[in-house]
Amino acid sequence: MQSTNQKIKNAILNSFLDKNIFEQNDEYAAKLIANTKDETMYNRILDEVQHCKSFIFAVAFIESGILNSLKTVLKDLNVQGRILTSTYLYFNKPQMFRELLKLPNVEIRVYEQNHGKFHAKGYLFQHEGYQSTLVGSSNFTAVL
């Protein structure tokens, strides 16, 4: 029987190198999330937050509606988090920054536009014994 580490290793090698050599494991395989009606980045992020020990988000843009949804989920959880966002293109409104500071158990950092462009879109989740990552073109906005 394979260890969890070996299953993860094989899933990564299967996903990115050679499907003919390395064993497939759907639980740990890389996956494209294309925001279909059946699976969206928003739902995946909420699911990860509900099951992780901690999280880190690096996103340039955050909308208040999505932030309100996150606040509701975090209110009931005891999960630690960190969010790095920005003043890039002045998309994030001052009220959104004030609301971010109200998030329980979440450290907030802001990358200021005058230090250069910040247009990251990454989500890292720490679980018991492993990490999961979502990387792509989805900010924390309604189009998640």
Side-chain angles (χ1 to χ4, degrees):
M1 177 173 259
Q2 288 184 339
S3 69
T4 300
N5 286 343
Q6 188 61 45
K7 288 179 184 178
I8 293 170
K9 179 180 177 182
N10 283 341
I12 292 169
L13 293 172
N14 175 277
S15 297
F16 295 110
L17 284 172
D18 194 332
K19 293 182 183 302
N20 296 318
I21 296 175
F22 300 101
E23 185 178 335
Q24 181 176 342
N25 183 311
D26 290 336
E27 182 179 5
Y28 301 114
K31 185 176 182 182
L32 173 66
I33 300 170
N35 283 334
T36 65
K37 69 176 186 160
D38 296 324
E39 184 170 41
T40 66
M41 279 289 281
Y42 174 73
N43 289 337
R44 187 59 175 251
I45 289 167
L46 287 182
D47 182 61
E48 290 281 350
V49 166
Q50 291 172 2
H51 297 98
C52 71
K53 292 174 62 175
S54 65
F55 65 86
I56 299 172
F57 296 167
V59 290
F61 307 137
I62 301 174
E63 285 184 343
S64 60
I66 298 295
L67 180 59
N68 287 336
S69 176
L70 178 65
K71 283 172 36 180
T72 301
V73 170
L74 289 177
K75 183 178 178 185
D76 298 331
L77 301 173
N78 189 25
V79 61
Q80 298 292 315
R82 297 170 66 192
I83 297 176
L84 173 62
T85 190
S86 75
T87 59
Y88 182 56
L89 298 177
Y90 302 105
F91 180 90
N92 294 328
K93 306 297 183 229
Q95 180 59 30
M96 190 279 308
F97 290 118
R98 285 190 284 277
E99 291 300 314
L100 277 173
L101 294 173
K102 295 177 184 178
L103 289 174
N105 305 322
V106 180
E107 177 185 346
I108 306 300
R109 300 288 177 166
V110 177
Y111 187 89
E112 295 185 49
Q113 183 174 342
N114 59 354
H115 292 121
K117 294 179 181 179
F118 177 85
H119 204 225
K121 299 166 187 89
Y123 306 86
L124 176 67
F125 304 92
Q126 180 66 48
H127 297 274
E128 188 68 43
Y130 72 97
Q131 294 176 331
S132 58
T133 305
L134 302 172
V135 179
S137 62
S138 290
N139 284 290
F140 213 52
T141 61
V143 293
L144 273 177

